[in-house]
Amino acid sequence: MTDPSDLTAPSLGDMEALAIAARGALPPQFRAPAAEVAIRVADFAPDEMLRDLEIDDPFGLTGLYDGIPLTEKSSFDQPDRPDAIWLFRRPILDEWAERGDVTLGALVAHVYVHELAHHLGWSDADIARIDEWWT
């Protein structure tokens, strides 16, 4: 058994590894499109992002899809950056601690799938087939 005094908070890299595992657990037909979306992990959303979303509390945003959804893309688009799913470590850890009834991996997967849904243009029914929390 692990001695609690030896535990450390999951790092940004640990959080990224959980998101990559969530991507790998997707049904096969979604893995390739999901792999085209970069995964970015930061402790908190940048201030500019929070301002743009009119979010006052940095703990109020666990994840964000930043890009053009596939349902809206055109071959004429000239993106200035790759599509990305942002995961914010501290708000995710805060929600995980508050819940106390889910694994960190399950919570990261939930946030990841929710943000991926924005990229893929999924309906709520589509999300529910992949992420049982959505229902």
Side-chain angles (χ1 to χ4, degrees):
M1 178 174 224
T2 302
D3 181 347
S5 65
D6 293 333
L7 296 175
T8 60
S11 69
L12 297 174
D14 295 333
M15 200 71 72
E16 180 179 13
L18 291 172
I20 290 169
R23 181 176 61 201
L26 290 169
Q29 68 269 31
F30 299 124
R31 287 185 202 141
E36 294 176 7
V37 181
I39 297 172
R40 304 282 185 251
V41 183
D43 276 321
F44 290 100
D47 290 339
E48 180 180 335
M49 187 181 286
L50 293 170
R51 271 192 308 275
D52 289 348
L53 295 169
E54 299 180 358
I55 296 174
D56 295 327
D57 180 1
F59 282 94
L61 186 62
T62 56
L64 181 79
Y65 168 66
D66 182 21
I68 300 170
L70 288 176
T71 55
E72 299 174 17
K73 281 192 189 263
S74 163
S75 59
F76 298 107
D77 287 334
Q78 295 296 316
D80 60 349
R81 63 189 175 280
D83 291 340
I85 291 174
W86 285 90
L87 300 174
F88 303 113
R89 186 181 78 94
R90 296 284 307 278
I92 290 173
L93 290 175
D94 195 56
E95 181 176 337
W96 177 58
E98 284 179 14
R99 284 178 175 268
D101 63 349
V102 297
T103 66
L104 182 58
L107 181 57
V108 169
H110 170 71
V111 174
Y112 174 78
V113 167
H114 177 85
E115 300 310 328
L116 182 63
H118 294 296
H119 172 68
L120 297 174
W122 289 350
S123 68
D124 287 352
D126 295 330
I127 298 169
R129 280 196 292 276
I130 307 253
D131 185 357
E132 63 199 37
W133 287 10
W134 195 258
T135 57

